[in-house]
Amino acid sequence: MTVTNQQQVEQGDKKQKVENPKVKSIKDFYRRLKKNKAALIGFYTILILIAVSIIGPFLTSHDPNSTNVTERFQGPSAEYWFGTDHMGRDIFTRIIHGMSLTLGIGFASVIMGALVGIPIGIISGYYGGRIDNIIMRLIDILLAFPGILLALAIVSILGGSLVNVTIAVAIYAIPGFARIIRGSTLAAKKLEYVDAIRALGAKDGRIIFKHIMPNVLSPVIVNATLYIASAVLTAAGLSFLGMGAQPPTPEWGAMLNDGRGYMYDAGHIAFFPGMFIVIVVLAFNIFGDGLRDALDPKMKK
């Protein structure tokens, strides 16, 4: 083998050893996330909850809505892991089936809120002027209402159902996304390379989607994670008040309401759905805090 051929082979080996930038960035992100042990626990807890919500309903042996008055108020046992409620329904089965509903409301409402709030925030921040003033005043009006009261008013108008609860929580999430994206857009559009691209004749659409959008995604991801926790809590609160899921839907907030009248005689009816609401909300909150640190450029070394 000639020297030239040997050099070419060595260069080829070096090229093969070059790591994919995307893989490297994922590994770097995970490395920074591991520094926050609580965030890592929250991340794995979320993965477990999602997995259980998908495969759990196929593994339960009881019907979540099947009543058996002879088995009412049974405590936790080998047959009924979390006991039974006031109608003899297996609480463990209902929690497993309700997990997909609770997480589904959280993810769906945040996605809907982001799809509306992100364009509004970018338009407001990028164009400024009168458009910005009008949009921000409307956002301020929505923010003037406490989140649960705004969602409650919307559900009162639309009617009580899981779909309407999702819409109400999504509307409540829009102002938060819009304000965060507006602030990030105001900072991004002042960068020197954006001015240079605009001077070269780039259209607003190209600047927004290719240069502004990538710079504002990090706060969106963090905000979305934290809003899922808020969405789950709001949806559970609406169902607890009777404005969300309707009987016999196994939604955790509705289950909590069912056990409210039996706190002293059969406290397990309210304890287990309440415990899982706390677990979900806590997992997303601590994961969101760790995600903020992992995506913060100032934390990179």
Side-chain angles (χ1 to χ4, degrees):
M1 181 182 294
T2 64
V3 176
T4 303
N5 291 337
Q6 186 176 358
Q7 291 177 348
Q8 291 177 350
V9 172
E10 291 177 354
Q11 290 176 356
D13 293 339
K14 290 180 180 179
K15 289 181 180 179
Q16 291 178 355
K17 293 180 181 179
V18 174
E19 193 171 20
N20 189 322
K22 292 184 178 179
V23 175
K24 185 177 180 180
S25 62
I26 293 175
K27 290 182 178 180
D28 185 50
F29 163 76
Y30 186 73
R31 177 181 59 79
R32 295 196 303 273
L33 184 65
K34 286 197 302 183
K35 294 180 180 179
N36 189 327
K37 301 300 182 183
L40 202 60
I41 293 173
F43 174 67
Y44 285 128
T45 302
I46 292 170
L47 291 182
I48 293 172
L49 291 171
I50 293 175
V52 171
S53 69
I54 295 173
I55 65 176
F58 299 101
L59 303 178
T60 54
S61 58
H62 296 278
D63 188 325
N65 298 322
S66 178
T67 61
N68 185 356
V69 294
T70 61
E71 298 289 338
R72 297 195 309 161
F73 304 119
Q74 295 291 321
S77 63
E79 182 179 0
Y80 303 109
W81 289 4
F82 292 169
T84 60
D85 62 7
H86 61 295
M87 300 184 69
R89 297 172 297 194
D90 182 36
I91 296 176
F92 175 77
T93 301
R94 288 176 62 79
I95 286 177
I96 296 299
H97 282 260
M99 192 175 296
S100 59
L101 296 176
T102 300
L103 294 178
I105 292 173
F107 281 106
S109 59
V110 169
I111 291 173
M112 292 168 59
L115 290 176
V116 177
I118 290 174
I120 291 176
I122 290 179
I123 292 173
S124 177
Y126 184 80
Y127 291 102
R130 182 176 297 179
I131 295 176
D132 183 32
N133 289 330
I134 294 174
I135 292 177
M136 284 300 102
R137 296 300 76 76
L138 294 175
I139 294 299
D140 289 339
I141 292 174
L142 291 177
L143 289 174
F145 295 92
I148 186 65
L149 293 182
L150 177 62
L152 184 61
I154 296 171
V155 172
S156 300
I157 296 172
L158 299 178
S161 70
L162 288 177
V163 175
N164 292 339
V165 166
T166 304
I167 295 173
V169 177
I171 294 174
Y172 155 62
I174 290 174
F177 280 108
R179 290 187 69 89
I180 289 176
I181 295 301
R182 174 183 177 270
S184 300
T185 302
L186 287 172
K189 76 174 186 178
K190 295 179 180 178
L191 297 175
E192 293 181 357
Y193 80 91
V194 174
D195 293 333
I197 294 169
R198 187 182 294 110
L200 292 174
K203 302 296 184 181
D204 289 343
R206 180 180 178 84
I207 295 174
I208 289 173
F209 287 104
K210 295 206 66 175
H211 303 285
I212 300 293
M213 188 78 74
N215 287 316
V216 300
L217 286 181
S218 292
V220 169
I221 296 173
V222 174
N223 192 61
T225 304
L226 297 174
Y227 260 111
I228 290 175
S230 179
V232 168
L233 200 58
T234 302
L238 291 174
S239 295
F240 179 81
L241 295 174
M243 302 297 294
Q246 302 301 309
T249 306
E251 202 278 331
W252 294 349
M255 293 175 63
L256 197 61
N257 184 40
D258 290 338
R260 181 179 56 176
Y262 310 99
M263 292 292 293
Y264 297 103
D265 298 327
H268 63 276
I269 299 178
F271 172 77
F272 288 107
M275 180 184 69
F276 273 87
I277 292 174
V278 171
I279 290 173
V280 170
V281 172
L282 183 61
F284 276 103
N285 277 332
I286 61 178
F287 174 61
D289 290 337
L291 196 62
R292 180 189 294 113
D293 295 338
L295 294 176
D296 188 356
K298 297 179 182 179
M299 299 294 292
K300 298 180 180 180
K301 295 182 180 179

